[in-house]
Amino acid sequence: MHLLGAGCVGLVHAAALQRGGVPVTLVLRRAPPHAAVAVAVARGSGTAPTTTTTQHRWTLAPRRVAALLVATRAPDTAAALAPLFAAGAISRASTLVLLQNGVEAVHAALAEHIASSGFPLPRFILGSTTHGIRRDDPQDPFSVNHVGDGETVFGAPSSEPSIDVDVFSMLAKAEGLNVTCPVEWPMLKKTLRMKLAVNSVLNPLTAIFGCRNGLVVASEEGRDLVESLCNELALLPEFRDELGMSALDLKETVMKVAKATALNRNSMDATIRRGLDTEIDYLNGHVLRMASKHGIHLPNHELVVKMVNMKLKLNRTLEN
């Protein structure tokens, strides 16, 4: 298996697969100084976490990709994959395993982009993870800290006629990540929709205010903002009917996640701080496209999209 996107999520899953007996080759943009890359994953809190290290082969340009775990940031996906398509490394026999925030929207946009570019359409598996992962030392790109246990699920979208069962067998071997696969599409879709609901509330609010998850719900004003976004989500049948959740149910779920991950910083906040494009179009933008299909107006979600984009532009202006 190959990994594209050697960030926190990608490295933790690559290391877990390697520990489980599945060799993972890292697809990198720049050549590291050594023939193998040592990926160090620290686990546990306090002054002495347990660290495990796995050795990975790397490549800048794989000749052929049978199974590719894609853990790039959502806005970077098409550009990161383009050289592999152009070189013929990805074919119809390849399987792309997408593991990103807003993965439903990423899959839809990527499939459309591939088709319009005339490249062969590979098979897709979609994934979702709730593990808490961060990078504490920006000077050491291959060391990450696994700070919170969760679960990872994988399944094929309904548009996939068939998937190589060997890929699911490989994914299931990821050690210590509580992996479930294959998950049938109806259940996977519910999991992805629930994550979309939580992320489309917490991620933009923490990014706008530059705070950790817990602070969003620590004040009455923050809880009111959470409620206003959840009220709009509940207008959509994708959340109200398919998930069977009311606005109150959604709010309680978001509050629970925010409190359980109170000290976490969301990826959108970190992305804005670095002056990079955010995944807002794959979260709230996706929600707004759902709403448009039903002729439903969601002014609060429209507002947070504008505020996130404005904050990014302001940060870029200040940096220059």
Side-chain angles (χ1 to χ4, degrees), residues 78 85 92 108-122:
F85 277 105
R92 287 185 175 83
L110 186 57
E112 182 178 343
H113 173 74
I114 294 170
S116 65
S117 300
F119 291 121
L121 189 67

Side-chain angles (χ1 to χ4, degrees), residues 10-22 24 39 41 43 52 54 56 170-171 173-177 179:
L11 290 176
V12 162
H13 284 79
L17 286 164
Q18 190 109 339
R19 292 196 306 270
V22 179
V24 179
V39 174
V41 178
R43 195 161 192 164
T52 58
T54 51
H56 296 259
M170 287 190 287
L171 293 170
K173 292 180 181 179
E175 185 180 283
L177 292 185
V179 172

Side-chain angles (χ1 to χ4, degrees), residues 112-134:
E112 182 178 343
H113 173 74
I114 294 170
S116 65
S117 300
F119 291 121
L121 189 67
R123 294 175 288 195
F124 286 97
I125 290 174
L126 308 187
S128 174
T129 188
T130 57
H131 288 279
I133 309 160
R134 70 179 186 229

Side-chain angles (χ1 to χ4, degrees), residues 125-148:
I125 290 174
L126 308 187
S128 174
T129 188
T130 57
H131 288 279
I133 309 160
R134 70 179 186 229
R135 179 178 283 120
D136 290 331
D137 183 0
Q139 302 304 315
D140 189 352
F142 298 109
S143 292
V144 293
N145 194 348
H146 189 170
V147 295

Side-chain angles (χ1 to χ4, degrees), residues 45-103:
S45 57
T47 57
T50 301
T51 300
T52 58
T53 302
T54 51
Q55 298 290 330
H56 296 259
R57 297 173 63 184
W58 60 269
T59 179
L60 301 181
R63 287 186 177 182
R64 176 180 173 274
V65 170
L68 179 66
L69 178 60
V70 182
T72 59
R73 296 184 323 108
D76 300 336
T77 306
L81 285 168
L84 279 69
F85 277 105
I90 297 175
S91 68
R92 287 185 175 83
S94 303
T95 300
L96 303 191
V97 184
L98 306 182
L99 186 62
Q100 301 148 301
N101 278 343
V103 70

